[in-house]
Amino acid sequence: MLTPNSLGSIVVVSTGMTLGAHLTPRCRSYLEHADIIFGSNPALVEQWISEINPNYHSLQGLYAEGKHRQITYREMVDTMLAAVREGKKVVGAFYGHAGVFAWAPHRVIKEASAEGYSAHMEAGVSAEDCLYADLNIDPGRVGCQHFETSQLMMYQRRIDPSAYLILWQVGLAGDTTIKRFSTGEAYRQILVDILSEYYPPDHQVALYECPFTALDDVRIDWLALKDLPRADISPITTLVVPPSEKMVKNQQILDRLAELDLQSQQL
Ligand SMILES: C[S@@+](CC[C@H](N)C(=O)[O-])C[C@H]1O[C@@H](n2cnc3c(N)ncnc32)[C@H](O)[C@@H]1O
């Protein structure tokens, strides 16, 4: 059995979406007290973290057009783990919620823990949280499905058109190379063909981008599903598809529940 290694450690902190506004006191404290911080964040956020702790090292330079992203993610994990093995108090700082649609933050915790080091993640505010607030959506009202866009396209998934559908990384729709930063119109047309099995072509969908600074505006652009291929989509765009159908009651289950209620009243 592994015993906790008393020297090195890693905490993966979430820096939130909007600069300075979303960092929890716990995350801030870990940043302040780290021996070394590695992170992947928007440029302004990187600058701001460097002011909290000058020993910040950006991992953004590991990305490159034409380089398989899995290699980049592996390098991120190896960089953070090397510092942990040197006995340092390491912090990994990732924007939004560090564990939402992000491989390296989960992986580094898994591997550091397996080697006996103290390792955990601190939760934060993700694009999803901002989306619920900015679009006035309660995911509990009719349910809400989240998919990585390319995964939805490449696997046989079931969409429920009576719930919200949120598609992440829509700018990378259909990328089989895992080496590009964007695909394009022809790829998004295939996405629209898939979604058209569930939604009418004029169904209104939203392109959502929450601001990274208090000076930026939120982007909420409504358009017809059929116009999605030609829309202006960036790496930070999230696609929001509201329900197109009403929920249908499950009468068989309602009858069984009514029967149970009747029995409990008779006891
Ligand atoms: C690799 S994921 C990272 C998500 C991040 N960890 C979070 O907690 O939101 C990148 C995707 O998150 C979404 N995203 C990132 N920044 C966003 C923003 N400012 N507004 C809306 N969605 C955003 C987009 O779907 C983008 O393709």
Side-chain angles (χ1 to χ4, degrees):
M1 186 171 143
L2 289 170
T3 51
N5 191 319
S6 58
L7 291 170
S9 66
I10 180 151
V11 181
V12 173
V13 307
S14 304
T15 55
M17 298 306 293
T18 303
L19 177 68
H22 294 160
L23 191 72
T24 65
R26 282 168 68 104
C27 287
R28 190 183 174 98
S29 172
Y30 281 116
L31 290 175
E32 284 168 351
H33 296 106
D35 291 333
I36 189 163
I37 304 170
F38 296 101
S40 178
N41 294 279
L44 273 177
V45 176
E46 305 220 307
Q47 200 181 319
W48 174 66
I49 299 173
S50 304
E51 283 162 23
I52 296 175
N53 184 330
N55 212 0
Y56 178 78
H57 299 264
S58 177
L59 298 171
Q60 291 282 69
L62 296 175
Y63 285 105
E65 183 82 40
K67 177 178 176 184
H68 200 289
R69 273 193 299 288
Q70 199 52 42
I71 294 175
T72 300
Y73 300 151
R74 185 66 247 171
E75 288 172 351
M76 288 181 174
V77 172
D78 289 342
T79 305
M80 291 185 276
L81 271 181
V84 174
R85 291 184 192 120
E86 283 170 16
K88 294 188 172 135
K89 260 191 296 173
V90 179
V91 163
F94 293 85
Y95 82 95
H97 184 308
V100 171
F101 287 82
W103 186 84
H106 285 294
R107 188 71 192 188
V108 73
I109 287 175
K110 188 173 176 190
E111 294 188 15
S113 300
E115 291 183 26
Y117 295 103
S118 165
H120 80 277
M121 183 182 290
E122 287 288 330
V125 176
S126 71
E128 173 184 0
D129 300 298
C130 299
L131 183 156
Y132 295 146
D134 290 332
L135 280 118
N136 204 15
I137 291 172
D138 177 350
R141 194 174 64 81
V142 290
C144 188
Q145 303 162 95
H146 289 256
F147 291 105
E148 200 281 326
T149 306
S150 296
Q151 188 192 71
L152 175 82
M153 294 171 72
M154 294 176 199
Y155 291 81
Q156 311 251 0
R157 309 308 299 262
R158 289 194 206 112
I159 295 172
D160 177 354
S162 66
Y164 279 91
L165 173 69
I166 313 290
L167 295 185
W168 298 66
Q169 303 200 134
V170 68
L172 288 171
D175 176 28
T176 55
T177 70
I178 328 287
K179 288 181 179 176
R180 285 178 284 191
F181 290 146
S182 69
T183 53
E185 190 173 328
Y187 292 81
R188 287 198 292 275
Q189 184 57 55
I190 296 179
L191 171 65
V192 169
D193 292 346
I194 293 166
L195 295 178
S196 296
E197 290 174 26
Y198 300 89
Y199 304 94
D202 285 323
H203 188 58
Q204 291 292 301
V205 300
L207 301 175
Y208 173 70
E209 291 170 17
C210 64
F212 282 126
T213 80
L215 298 175
D216 298 331
D217 290 325
V218 62
R219 177 186 183 196
I220 304 173
D221 286 341
W222 289 97
L223 69 161
L225 175 61
K226 63 174 191 272
D227 295 329
L228 185 66
R230 286 163 303 285
D232 178 16
I233 294 189
S234 88
I236 64 162
T237 311
T238 298
L239 179 69
V240 181
V241 184
S244 62
E245 294 177 8
K246 288 201 175 341
M247 291 185 289
V248 179
K249 283 187 181 166
N250 186 335
Q251 198 53 52
Q252 208 187 3
I253 294 295
L254 284 169
D255 291 346
R256 284 178 63 190
L257 292 171
E259 184 63 29
L260 274 185
D261 289 346
L262 204 62
Q263 284 170 16
S264 55
Q265 277 164 23
Q266 286 165 352
L267 289 176

mmCIF file of all heavy atoms in Angstrom, residues 181-222:
data_model
loop_
_atom_site.group_PDB
_atom_site.id
_atom_site.type_symbol
_atom_site.label_atom_id
_atom_site.label_comp_id
_atom_site.label_asym_id
_atom_site.label_seq_id
_atom_site.Cartn_x
_atom_site.Cartn_y
_atom_site.Cartn_z
ATOM 1 N N PHE A 181 -6.820 23.647 -34.905
ATOM 2 C CA PHE A 181 -7.454 24.562 -33.946
ATOM 3 C C PHE A 181 -8.877 24.905 -34.377
ATOM 4 O O PHE A 181 -9.615 25.533 -33.628
ATOM 5 C CB PHE A 181 -6.630 25.839 -33.784
ATOM 6 C CG PHE A 181 -5.321 25.617 -33.058
ATOM 7 C CD1 PHE A 181 -4.195 26.340 -33.387
ATOM 8 C CD2 PHE A 181 -5.214 24.684 -32.036
ATOM 9 C CE1 PHE A 181 -2.987 26.136 -32.722
ATOM 10 C CE2 PHE A 181 -4.015 24.471 -31.361
ATOM 11 C CZ PHE A 181 -2.907 25.201 -31.699
ATOM 12 N N SER A 182 -9.246 24.545 -35.636
ATOM 13 C CA SER A 182 -10.629 24.748 -36.078
ATOM 14 C C SER A 182 -10.874 23.874 -37.305
ATOM 15 O O SER A 182 -9.916 23.479 -37.982
ATOM 16 C CB SER A 182 -10.882 26.216 -36.418
ATOM 17 O OG SER A 182 -10.162 26.565 -37.575
ATOM 18 N N THR A 183 -12.133 23.572 -37.559
ATOM 19 C CA THR A 183 -12.477 22.854 -38.806
ATOM 20 C C THR A 183 -13.173 23.875 -39.717
ATOM 21 O O THR A 183 -12.557 24.858 -40.076
ATOM 22 C CB THR A 183 -13.312 21.592 -38.523
ATOM 23 O OG1 THR A 183 -14.439 21.942 -37.717
ATOM 24 C CG2 THR A 183 -12.487 20.530 -37.846
ATOM 25 N N GLY A 184 -14.439 23.677 -40.056
ATOM 26 C CA GLY A 184 -15.056 24.689 -40.925
ATOM 27 C C GLY A 184 -16.444 24.299 -41.367
ATOM 28 O O GLY A 184 -17.053 23.361 -40.834
ATOM 29 N N GLU A 185 -16.911 25.026 -42.395
ATOM 30 C CA GLU A 185 -18.307 24.957 -42.844
ATOM 31 C C GLU A 185 -18.751 23.524 -43.201
ATOM 32 O O GLU A 185 -19.801 23.069 -42.754
ATOM 33 C CB GLU A 185 -18.444 25.886 -44.063
ATOM 34 C CG GLU A 185 -19.853 26.098 -44.492
ATOM 35 C CD GLU A 185 -19.968 27.156 -45.601
ATOM 36 O OE1 GLU A 185 -19.168 28.119 -45.639
ATOM 37 O OE2 GLU A 185 -20.897 27.004 -46.416
ATOM 38 N N ALA A 186 -17.930 22.816 -43.987
ATOM 39 C CA ALA A 186 -18.328 21.480 -44.447
ATOM 40 C C ALA A 186 -18.474 20.525 -43.259
ATOM 41 O O ALA A 186 -19.345 19.641 -43.258
ATOM 42 C CB ALA A 186 -17.291 20.945 -45.425
ATOM 43 N N TYR A 187 -17.629 20.707 -42.248
ATOM 44 C CA TYR A 187 -17.682 19.843 -41.060
ATOM 45 C C TYR A 187 -18.937 20.152 -40.239
ATOM 46 O O TYR A 187 -19.617 19.260 -39.734
ATOM 47 C CB TYR A 187 -16.428 20.046 -40.196
ATOM 48 C CG TYR A 187 -15.178 19.530 -40.865
ATOM 49 C CD1 TYR A 187 -14.514 20.297 -41.818
ATOM 50 C CD2 TYR A 187 -14.676 18.274 -40.555
ATOM 51 C CE1 TYR A 187 -13.373 19.830 -42.436
ATOM 52 C CE2 TYR A 187 -13.531 17.791 -41.161
ATOM 53 C CZ TYR A 187 -12.880 18.570 -42.102
ATOM 54 O OH TYR A 187 -11.761 18.105 -42.718
ATOM 55 N N ARG A 188 -19.233 21.465 -40.134
ATOM 56 C CA ARG A 188 -20.432 21.855 -39.359
ATOM 57 C C ARG A 188 -21.709 21.448 -40.101
ATOM 58 O O ARG A 188 -22.735 21.232 -39.470
ATOM 59 C CB ARG A 188 -20.410 23.352 -39.063
ATOM 60 C CG ARG A 188 -19.378 23.716 -38.016
ATOM 61 C CD ARG A 188 -19.649 25.072 -37.409
ATOM 62 N NE ARG A 188 -19.463 26.158 -38.341
ATOM 63 C CZ ARG A 188 -18.303 26.740 -38.604
ATOM 64 N NH1 ARG A 188 -17.204 26.315 -38.004
ATOM 65 N NH2 ARG A 188 -18.231 27.739 -39.453
ATOM 66 N N GLN A 189 -21.633 21.334 -41.451
ATOM 67 C CA GLN A 189 -22.817 20.878 -42.198
ATOM 68 C C GLN A 189 -23.159 19.443 -41.783
ATOM 69 O O GLN A 189 -24.332 19.091 -41.626
ATOM 70 C CB GLN A 189 -22.559 20.965 -43.709
ATOM 71 C CG GLN A 189 -23.782 20.593 -44.555
ATOM 72 C CD GLN A 189 -24.998 21.462 -44.229
ATOM 73 O OE1 GLN A 189 -24.929 22.683 -44.288
ATOM 74 N NE2 GLN A 189 -26.118 20.822 -43.852
ATOM 75 N N ILE A 190 -22.120 18.633 -41.554
ATOM 76 C CA ILE A 190 -22.383 17.250 -41.113
ATOM 77 C C ILE A 190 -23.020 17.259 -39.722
ATOM 78 O O ILE A 190 -23.954 16.507 -39.444
ATOM 79 C CB ILE A 190 -21.078 16.412 -41.138
ATOM 80 C CG1 ILE A 190 -20.587 16.304 -42.579
ATOM 81 C CG2 ILE A 190 -21.297 15.030 -40.516
ATOM 82 C CD1 ILE A 190 -19.289 15.525 -42.749
ATOM 83 N N LEU A 191 -22.550 18.174 -38.862
ATOM 84 C CA LEU A 191 -23.165 18.307 -37.530
ATOM 85 C C LEU A 191 -24.641 18.676 -37.676
ATOM 86 O O LEU A 191 -25.514 18.094 -37.013
ATOM 87 C CB LEU A 191 -22.420 19.373 -36.711
ATOM 88 C CG LEU A 191 -23.067 19.767 -35.383
ATOM 89 C CD1 LEU A 191 -23.086 18.583 -34.405
ATOM 90 C CD2 LEU A 191 -22.334 20.957 -34.743
ATOM 91 N N VAL A 192 -24.926 19.634 -38.576
ATOM 92 C CA VAL A 192 -26.317 20.059 -38.775
ATOM 93 C C VAL A 192 -27.150 18.884 -39.319
ATOM 94 O O VAL A 192 -28.299 18.687 -38.909
ATOM 95 C CB VAL A 192 -26.375 21.294 -39.715
ATOM 96 C CG1 VAL A 192 -27.804 21.579 -40.155
ATOM 97 C CG2 VAL A 192 -25.781 22.511 -39.010
ATOM 98 N N ASP A 193 -26.565 18.088 -40.206
ATOM 99 C CA ASP A 193 -27.293 16.918 -40.731
ATOM 100 C C ASP A 193 -27.668 15.971 -39.586
ATOM 101 O O ASP A 193 -28.770 15.426 -39.553
ATOM 102 C CB ASP A 193 -26.440 16.177 -41.769
ATOM 103 C CG ASP A 193 -26.238 17.006 -43.041
ATOM 104 O OD1 ASP A 193 -26.965 18.013 -43.223
ATOM 105 O OD2 ASP A 193 -25.334 16.658 -43.829
ATOM 106 N N ILE A 194 -26.740 15.789 -38.638
ATOM 107 C CA ILE A 194 -27.028 14.898 -37.487
ATOM 108 C C ILE A 194 -28.141 15.512 -36.637
ATOM 109 O O ILE A 194 -29.119 14.846 -36.278
ATOM 110 C CB ILE A 194 -25.752 14.686 -36.635
ATOM 111 C CG1 ILE A 194 -24.713 13.906 -37.434
ATOM 112 C CG2 ILE A 194 -26.084 13.981 -35.324
ATOM 113 C CD1 ILE A 194 -23.319 13.923 -36.825
ATOM 114 N N LEU A 195 -28.006 16.803 -36.334
ATOM 115 C CA LEU A 195 -28.992 17.461 -35.452
ATOM 116 C C LEU A 195 -30.361 17.553 -36.135
ATOM 117 O O LEU A 195 -31.397 17.562 -35.465
ATOM 118 C CB LEU A 195 -28.495 18.853 -35.050
ATOM 119 C CG LEU A 195 -27.229 18.880 -34.188
ATOM 120 C CD1 LEU A 195 -26.803 20.322 -33.878
ATOM 121 C CD2 LEU A 195 -27.435 18.113 -32.884
ATOM 122 N N SER A 196 -30.363 17.589 -37.480
ATOM 123 C CA SER A 196 -31.627 17.727 -38.215
ATOM 124 C C SER A 196 -32.496 16.472 -38.095
ATOM 125 O O SER A 196 -33.678 16.502 -38.439
ATOM 126 C CB SER A 196 -31.355 18.028 -39.689
ATOM 127 O OG SER A 196 -30.707 19.283 -39.778
ATOM 128 N N GLU A 197 -31.904 15.376 -37.606
ATOM 129 C CA GLU A 197 -32.727 14.183 -37.351
ATOM 130 C C GLU A 197 -33.618 14.411 -36.128
ATOM 131 O O GLU A 197 -34.578 13.691 -35.896
ATOM 132 C CB GLU A 197 -31.829 12.971 -37.101
ATOM 133 C CG GLU A 197 -31.099 12.511 -38.352
ATOM 134 C CD GLU A 197 -30.096 11.401 -38.036
ATOM 135 O OE1 GLU A 197 -30.292 10.665 -37.037
ATOM 136 O OE2 GLU A 197 -29.115 11.300 -38.791
ATOM 137 N N TYR A 198 -33.286 15.422 -35.323
ATOM 138 C CA TYR A 198 -34.019 15.679 -34.074
ATOM 139 C C TYR A 198 -34.730 17.031 -34.056
ATOM 140 O O TYR A 198 -35.694 17.197 -33.327
ATOM 141 C CB TYR A 198 -33.047 15.655 -32.882
ATOM 142 C CG TYR A 198 -32.323 14.357 -32.712
ATOM 143 C CD1 TYR A 198 -31.110 14.126 -33.365
ATOM 144 C CD2 TYR A 198 -32.855 13.338 -31.919
ATOM 145 C CE1 TYR A 198 -30.440 12.917 -33.214
ATOM 146 C CE2 TYR A 198 -32.187 12.145 -31.761
ATOM 147 C CZ TYR A 198 -30.982 11.940 -32.415
ATOM 148 O OH TYR A 198 -30.323 10.749 -32.262
ATOM 149 N N TYR A 199 -34.199 18.009 -34.802
ATOM 150 C CA TYR A 199 -34.710 19.379 -34.715
ATOM 151 C C TYR A 199 -35.066 19.887 -36.111
ATOM 152 O O TYR A 199 -34.397 19.539 -37.092
ATOM 153 C CB TYR A 199 -33.635 20.330 -34.128
ATOM 154 C CG TYR A 199 -33.115 19.900 -32.784
ATOM 155 C CD1 TYR A 199 -31.955 19.120 -32.698
ATOM 156 C CD2 TYR A 199 -33.759 20.262 -31.598
ATOM 157 C CE1 TYR A 199 -31.465 18.720 -31.468
ATOM 158 C CE2 TYR A 199 -33.260 19.865 -30.368
ATOM 159 C CZ TYR A 199 -32.113 19.080 -30.310
ATOM 160 O OH TYR A 199 -31.627 18.681 -29.086
ATOM 161 N N PRO A 200 -36.116 20.757 -36.215
ATOM 162 C CA PRO A 200 -36.447 21.341 -37.522
ATOM 163 C C PRO A 200 -35.349 22.315 -37.979
ATOM 164 O O PRO A 200 -34.645 22.888 -37.136
ATOM 165 C CB PRO A 200 -37.765 22.082 -37.261
ATOM 166 C CG PRO A 200 -37.888 22.217 -35.795
ATOM 167 C CD PRO A 200 -37.020 21.179 -35.144
ATOM 168 N N PRO A 201 -35.181 22.528 -39.292
ATOM 169 C CA PRO A 201 -34.086 23.372 -39.797
ATOM 170 C C PRO A 201 -34.136 24.810 -39.298
ATOM 171 O O PRO A 201 -33.104 25.464 -39.174
ATOM 172 C CB PRO A 201 -34.247 23.326 -41.320
ATOM 173 C CG PRO A 201 -35.484 22.557 -41.595
ATOM 174 C CD PRO A 201 -35.945 21.888 -40.359
ATOM 175 N N ASP A 202 -35.343 25.308 -38.976
ATOM 176 C CA ASP A 202 -35.455 26.695 -38.501
ATOM 177 C C ASP A 202 -35.359 26.802 -36.981
ATOM 178 O O ASP A 202 -35.538 27.894 -36.434
ATOM 179 C CB ASP A 202 -36.790 27.303 -38.974
ATOM 180 C CG ASP A 202 -36.722 27.649 -40.448
ATOM 181 O OD1 ASP A 202 -35.637 28.102 -40.886
ATOM 182 O OD2 ASP A 202 -37.718 27.427 -41.160
ATOM 183 N N HIS A 203 -35.095 25.690 -36.315
ATOM 184 C CA HIS A 203 -34.996 25.721 -34.847
ATOM 185 C C HIS A 203 -33.903 26.708 -34.440
ATOM 186 O O HIS A 203 -32.788 26.686 -34.976
ATOM 187 C CB HIS A 203 -34.665 24.321 -34.336
ATOM 188 C CG HIS A 203 -34.726 24.196 -32.852
ATOM 189 N ND1 HIS A 203 -35.867 24.488 -32.126
ATOM 190 C CD2 HIS A 203 -33.772 23.823 -31.942
ATOM 191 C CE1 HIS A 203 -35.614 24.297 -30.845
ATOM 192 N NE2 HIS A 203 -34.362 23.903 -30.709
ATOM 193 N N GLN A 204 -34.223 27.580 -33.477
ATOM 194 C CA GLN A 204 -33.288 28.630 -33.067
ATOM 195 C C GLN A 204 -32.270 28.079 -32.067
ATOM 196 O O GLN A 204 -32.636 27.499 -31.039
ATOM 197 C CB GLN A 204 -34.051 29.803 -32.440
ATOM 198 C CG GLN A 204 -34.902 30.582 -33.444
ATOM 199 C CD GLN A 204 -34.033 31.345 -34.445
ATOM 200 O OE1 GLN A 204 -33.231 32.185 -34.061
ATOM 201 N NE2 GLN A 204 -34.184 31.036 -35.741
ATOM 202 N N VAL A 205 -31.003 28.273 -32.376
ATOM 203 C CA VAL A 205 -29.915 27.830 -31.497
ATOM 204 C C VAL A 205 -29.070 29.065 -31.164
ATOM 205 O O VAL A 205 -29.139 30.082 -31.863
ATOM 206 C CB VAL A 205 -29.049 26.735 -32.168
ATOM 207 C CG1 VAL A 205 -29.894 25.518 -32.509
ATOM 208 C CG2 VAL A 205 -28.341 27.260 -33.425
ATOM 209 N N ALA A 206 -28.284 28.974 -30.092
ATOM 210 C CA ALA A 206 -27.489 30.149 -29.690
ATOM 211 C C ALA A 206 -25.994 29.836 -29.691
ATOM 212 O O ALA A 206 -25.572 28.748 -29.284
ATOM 213 C CB ALA A 206 -27.914 30.614 -28.298
ATOM 214 N N LEU A 207 -25.215 30.812 -30.169
ATOM 215 C CA LEU A 207 -23.751 30.758 -30.051
ATOM 216 C C LEU A 207 -23.406 31.565 -28.822
ATOM 217 O O LEU A 207 -23.739 32.755 -28.742
ATOM 218 C CB LEU A 207 -23.088 31.357 -31.291
ATOM 219 C CG LEU A 207 -23.447 30.667 -32.605
ATOM 220 C CD1 LEU A 207 -22.838 31.407 -33.784
ATOM 221 C CD2 LEU A 207 -22.972 29.212 -32.591
ATOM 222 N N TYR A 208 -22.765 30.920 -27.865
ATOM 223 C CA TYR A 208 -22.534 31.563 -26.572
ATOM 224 C C TYR A 208 -21.037 31.707 -26.285
ATOM 225 O O TYR A 208 -20.267 30.758 -26.456
ATOM 226 C CB TYR A 208 -23.197 30.736 -25.454
ATOM 227 C CG TYR A 208 -22.852 31.242 -24.084
ATOM 228 C CD1 TYR A 208 -23.358 32.455 -23.627
ATOM 229 C CD2 TYR A 208 -21.995 30.531 -23.248
ATOM 230 C CE1 TYR A 208 -23.013 32.946 -22.369
ATOM 231 C CE2 TYR A 208 -21.650 31.007 -21.997
ATOM 232 C CZ TYR A 208 -22.165 32.221 -21.569
ATOM 233 O OH TYR A 208 -21.813 32.706 -20.342
ATOM 234 N N GLU A 209 -20.656 32.917 -25.851
ATOM 235 C CA GLU A 209 -19.271 33.155 -25.377
ATOM 236 C C GLU A 209 -19.355 34.068 -24.161
ATOM 237 O O GLU A 209 -19.867 35.184 -24.260
ATOM 238 C CB GLU A 209 -18.422 33.823 -26.468
ATOM 239 C CG GLU A 209 -18.134 32.889 -27.639
ATOM 240 C CD GLU A 209 -17.497 33.598 -28.828
ATOM 241 O OE1 GLU A 209 -16.982 34.728 -28.660
ATOM 242 O OE2 GLU A 209 -17.538 33.018 -29.926
ATOM 243 N N CYS A 210 -18.886 33.572 -23.019
ATOM 244 C CA CYS A 210 -18.914 34.431 -21.832
ATOM 245 C C CYS A 210 -17.617 35.237 -21.778
ATOM 246 O O CYS A 210 -16.589 34.817 -22.308
ATOM 247 C CB CYS A 210 -19.154 33.626 -20.564
ATOM 248 S SG CYS A 210 -17.886 32.463 -20.168
ATOM 249 N N PRO A 211 -17.673 36.428 -21.181
ATOM 250 C CA PRO A 211 -16.515 37.316 -21.206
ATOM 251 C C PRO A 211 -15.368 36.823 -20.322
ATOM 252 O O PRO A 211 -15.597 36.285 -19.247
ATOM 253 C CB PRO A 211 -17.072 38.643 -20.670
ATOM 254 C CG PRO A 211 -18.340 38.302 -19.982
ATOM 255 C CD PRO A 211 -18.833 36.985 -20.479
ATOM 256 N N PHE A 212 -14.129 37.026 -20.806
ATOM 257 C CA PHE A 212 -12.946 36.689 -20.013
ATOM 258 C C PHE A 212 -12.525 37.849 -19.115
ATOM 259 O O PHE A 212 -11.771 37.662 -18.172
ATOM 260 C CB PHE A 212 -11.775 36.284 -20.921
ATOM 261 C CG PHE A 212 -11.890 34.875 -21.450
ATOM 262 C CD1 PHE A 212 -11.826 34.620 -22.810
ATOM 263 C CD2 PHE A 212 -12.060 33.800 -20.590
ATOM 264 C CE1 PHE A 212 -11.932 33.322 -23.295
ATOM 265 C CE2 PHE A 212 -12.168 32.496 -21.063
ATOM 266 C CZ PHE A 212 -12.101 32.261 -22.425
ATOM 267 N N THR A 213 -13.012 39.079 -19.439
ATOM 268 C CA THR A 213 -12.746 40.221 -18.544
ATOM 269 C C THR A 213 -14.060 40.977 -18.359
ATOM 270 O O THR A 213 -14.977 40.860 -19.191
ATOM 271 C CB THR A 213 -11.700 41.213 -19.110
ATOM 272 O OG1 THR A 213 -12.337 42.056 -20.064
ATOM 273 C CG2 THR A 213 -10.516 40.517 -19.728
ATOM 274 N N ALA A 214 -14.117 41.778 -17.299
ATOM 275 C CA ALA A 214 -15.340 42.536 -17.018
ATOM 276 C C ALA A 214 -15.596 43.573 -18.115
ATOM 277 O O ALA A 214 -16.709 44.088 -18.242
ATOM 278 C CB ALA A 214 -15.214 43.213 -15.661
ATOM 279 N N LEU A 215 -14.593 43.852 -18.937
ATOM 280 C CA LEU A 215 -14.763 44.852 -20.004
ATOM 281 C C LEU A 215 -15.337 44.236 -21.282
ATOM 282 O O LEU A 215 -15.838 44.952 -22.151
ATOM 283 C CB LEU A 215 -13.402 45.513 -20.335
ATOM 284 C CG LEU A 215 -12.751 46.276 -19.180
ATOM 285 C CD1 LEU A 215 -11.371 46.780 -19.574
ATOM 286 C CD2 LEU A 215 -13.640 47.450 -18.758
ATOM 287 N N ASP A 216 -15.252 42.930 -21.411
ATOM 288 C CA ASP A 216 -15.784 42.263 -22.617
ATOM 289 C C ASP A 216 -17.288 42.060 -22.486
ATOM 290 O O ASP A 216 -17.816 41.964 -21.371
ATOM 291 C CB ASP A 216 -15.131 40.884 -22.806
ATOM 292 C CG ASP A 216 -13.635 40.979 -23.014
ATOM 293 O OD1 ASP A 216 -13.186 42.003 -23.552
ATOM 294 O OD2 ASP A 216 -12.930 40.033 -22.615
ATOM 295 N N ASP A 217 -17.962 41.973 -23.643
ATOM 296 C CA ASP A 217 -19.400 41.692 -23.643
ATOM 297 C C ASP A 217 -19.630 40.189 -23.774
ATOM 298 O O ASP A 217 -18.817 39.485 -24.369
ATOM 299 C CB ASP A 217 -20.085 42.392 -24.819
ATOM 300 C CG ASP A 217 -20.114 43.900 -24.615
ATOM 301 O OD1 ASP A 217 -20.257 44.331 -23.455
ATOM 302 O OD2 ASP A 217 -19.970 44.623 -25.617
ATOM 303 N N VAL A 218 -20.749 39.752 -23.253
ATOM 304 C CA VAL A 218 -21.149 38.363 -23.472
ATOM 305 C C VAL A 218 -21.647 38.255 -24.920
ATOM 306 O O VAL A 218 -22.195 39.218 -25.466
ATOM 307 C CB VAL A 218 -22.252 37.962 -22.452
ATOM 308 C CG1 VAL A 218 -23.499 38.779 -22.616
ATOM 309 C CG2 VAL A 218 -22.581 36.485 -22.541
ATOM 310 N N ARG A 219 -21.392 37.111 -25.563
ATOM 311 C CA ARG A 219 -21.944 36.891 -26.907
ATOM 312 C C ARG A 219 -23.072 35.871 -26.825
ATOM 313 O O ARG A 219 -22.853 34.732 -26.387
ATOM 314 C CB ARG A 219 -20.858 36.351 -27.847
ATOM 315 C CG ARG A 219 -21.417 36.042 -29.234
ATOM 316 C CD ARG A 219 -20.403 35.371 -30.140
ATOM 317 N NE ARG A 219 -20.951 35.164 -31.473
ATOM 318 C CZ ARG A 219 -20.434 34.352 -32.385
ATOM 319 N NH1 ARG A 219 -19.335 33.680 -32.132
ATOM 320 N NH2 ARG A 219 -21.010 34.215 -33.564
ATOM 321 N N ILE A 220 -24.263 36.292 -27.229
ATOM 322 C CA ILE A 220 -25.386 35.353 -27.347
ATOM 323 C C ILE A 220 -26.027 35.650 -28.697
ATOM 324 O O ILE A 220 -26.775 36.618 -28.839
ATOM 325 C CB ILE A 220 -26.440 35.533 -26.225
ATOM 326 C CG1 ILE A 220 -25.786 35.395 -24.845
ATOM 327 C CG2 ILE A 220 -27.574 34.519 -26.389
ATOM 328 C CD1 ILE A 220 -26.709 35.726 -23.673
ATOM 329 N N ASP A 221 -25.661 34.896 -29.709
ATOM 330 C CA ASP A 221 -26.198 35.117 -31.060
ATOM 331 C C ASP A 221 -27.147 33.988 -31.399
ATOM 332 O O ASP A 221 -26.751 32.817 -31.455
ATOM 333 C CB ASP A 221 -25.059 35.150 -32.094
ATOM 334 C CG ASP A 221 -24.255 36.432 -32.013
ATOM 335 O OD1 ASP A 221 -24.761 37.424 -31.447
ATOM 336 O OD2 ASP A 221 -23.111 36.430 -32.512
ATOM 337 N N TRP A 222 -28.400 34.375 -31.660
ATOM 338 C CA TRP A 222 -29.405 33.369 -32.043
ATOM 339 C C TRP A 222 -29.425 33.233 -33.563
ATOM 340 O O TRP A 222 -29.358 34.233 -34.273
ATOM 341 C CB TRP A 222 -30.789 33.774 -31.530
ATOM 342 C CG TRP A 222 -30.895 33.647 -30.032
ATOM 343 C CD1 TRP A 222 -30.743 34.639 -29.105
ATOM 344 C CD2 TRP A 222 -31.156 32.443 -29.292
ATOM 345 N NE1 TRP A 222 -30.890 34.141 -27.835
ATOM 346 C CE2 TRP A 222 -31.151 32.794 -27.919
ATOM 347 C CE3 TRP A 222 -31.396 31.115 -29.645
ATOM 348 C CZ2 TRP A 222 -31.375 31.867 -26.911
ATOM 349 C CZ3 TRP A 222 -31.617 30.187 -28.627
ATOM 350 C CH2 TRP A 222 -31.607 30.565 -27.286
#
